[in-house]
């Protein structure tokens, strides 16, 4: 058809923590508590610097003597910190806009499925998203590309990688996206300000900016 616009991206995959939901405060509180049960004290900054990788790997890097125990306590405690989890302004309108544009979307998170299911009871708009990749789904995790590639294969098998955009807040997200061969947009509203996202294809300050990106015509 003459004049038809080809969308820049047909699929957008999102990280969850500090991308769709502000979970930093809850995660710091719960993991600090869990680590202290084994006498390990760390700064909030140390925890924040590792956000984006699975909790078990975080616990190992933070010096937990029994990482499995630490994360079991963390997974129990995080449910008690749910009041500290907040949705970002503009996320709902962003999803509405993507739907109206015909852009499909899903989530690739480092959370276990049971933790995700428990937390998302409090966030029905996120809970409605059914195309989700969990930590349970792959043996390797971000910054490895496997979770993103798994999600594309499972939910968007016919999609070309050039038509997929991954949105996240951490350097691990960017590294995973690029290793998977897809473009990356940094969710600047949740990212650590001191991190270097100069290699990101896009740096967003507000969720609605994503709508302008996906509907640009492809050259």
């Amino acid at each position: 058809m003459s004049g038809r616009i080809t969308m820049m991206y047909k699929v957008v995959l999102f990280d969850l923590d500090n991308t769709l939901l502000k979970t930093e405060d809850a995660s710091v509180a719960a993991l600090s508590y869990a680590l202290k049960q084994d006498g390990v004290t760390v700064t909030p900054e140390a925890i924040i610097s590792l956000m984006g990788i699975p909790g078990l790997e975080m616990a190992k890097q933070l010096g937990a003597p029994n990482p499995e125990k630490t994360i079991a306590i963390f997974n129990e405690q995080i449910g008690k910190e749910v009041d500290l989890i907040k949705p970002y302004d503009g996320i709902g309108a962003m999803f509405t806009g993507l739907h109206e544009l015909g852009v499909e979307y899903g989530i690739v998170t480092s959370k276990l499925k049971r933790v995700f299911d428990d937390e998302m009871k409090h966030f029905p708009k996120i809970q409605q998203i059914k195309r989700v990749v969990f930590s349970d789904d792959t043996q390797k995790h971000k910054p490895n590309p496997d979770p993103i590639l798994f999600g594309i294969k499972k939910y968007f098998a016919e999609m070309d990688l050039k038509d997929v955009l991954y949105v996240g807040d951490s350097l691990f997200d960017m590294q995973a996206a690029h290793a998977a061969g897809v473009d990356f947009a940094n969710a600047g509203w949740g990212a650590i300000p001191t991190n270097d996202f100069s290699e990101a294809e896009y740096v967003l300050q507000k969720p609605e900016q994503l709508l302008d990106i996906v509907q640009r015509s492809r050259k």
Side-chain angles (χ1 to χ4, degrees):
M1 182 183 295
S2 177
R4 182 178 180 181
I5 295 176
T6 301
M7 302 287 279
M8 182 67 77
Y9 300 102
K10 299 176 182 178
V11 169
V12 180
L13 297 174
F14 294 91
D15 177 46
L16 177 66
D17 291 336
N18 300 313
T19 297
L20 299 180
L21 294 172
K22 179 174 173 50
T23 59
E24 179 181 300
D25 294 342
S27 296
V28 168
L31 190 50
S32 295
Y33 173 85
L35 288 165
K36 284 181 180 178
Q37 306 314 298
D38 275 328
V40 177
T41 301
V42 298
T43 64
E45 290 76 17
I47 295 174
I48 292 169
S49 70
L50 295 174
M51 286 184 175
I53 61 176
L56 187 61
E57 184 60 30
M58 289 180 69
K60 290 177 181 178
Q61 293 195 31
L62 291 168
N66 187 336
E68 290 80 6
K69 173 187 173 184
T70 296
I71 294 309
I73 296 172
F74 168 82
N75 287 336
E76 180 179 347
Q77 186 67 20
I78 193 73
K80 301 176 183 178
E81 308 288 357
V82 70
D83 288 345
L84 295 177
I85 301 176
K86 306 293 181 183
Y88 286 107
D89 291 339
I91 293 295
M94 178 193 71
F95 282 133
T96 299
L98 290 174
H99 179 75
E100 291 175 348
L101 291 169
V103 176
E104 299 185 89
Y105 52 85
I107 294 173
V108 178
T109 177
S110 294
K111 285 187 184 295
L112 294 167
K113 184 180 187 303
R114 62 182 179 83
V115 177
F116 176 93
D117 289 344
D118 187 55
E119 287 184 15
M120 292 314 109
K121 293 175 184 177
H122 304 276
F123 304 98
K125 289 185 179 179
I126 305 297
Q127 189 180 41
Q128 290 172 3
I129 300 173
K130 301 305 180 184
R131 292 168 171 170
V132 184
V133 176
F134 307 99
S135 178
D136 321 56
D137 289 322
T138 60
Q139 291 186 346
K140 296 181 179 179
H141 308 287
K142 296 182 291 185
N144 188 279
D146 282 11
I148 294 175
L149 294 173
F150 177 89
I152 295 171
K153 183 178 180 179
K154 181 174 182 178
Y155 298 115
F156 310 101
E158 304 303 318
M159 200 62 61
D160 193 301
L161 291 178
K162 68 180 176 59
D163 294 322
V164 180
L165 178 68
Y166 188 57
V167 181
D169 68 290
S170 76
L171 293 175
F172 302 114
D173 294 325
M174 181 173 71
Q175 292 162 359
H178 288 163
V182 303
D183 286 351
F184 175 75
N186 170 235
W189 55 87
I192 300 173
T194 54
N195 282 353
D196 180 8
F197 289 100
S198 58
E199 294 184 8
E201 280 69 31
Y202 312 96
V203 177
L204 311 177
Q205 299 306 318
K206 297 180 180 180
E208 55 264 34
Q209 289 178 304
L210 180 65
L211 302 179
D212 295 328
I213 291 172
V214 298
Q215 61 186 318
R216 291 177 185 173
S217 59
R218 189 182 295 279
K219 296 180 181 180

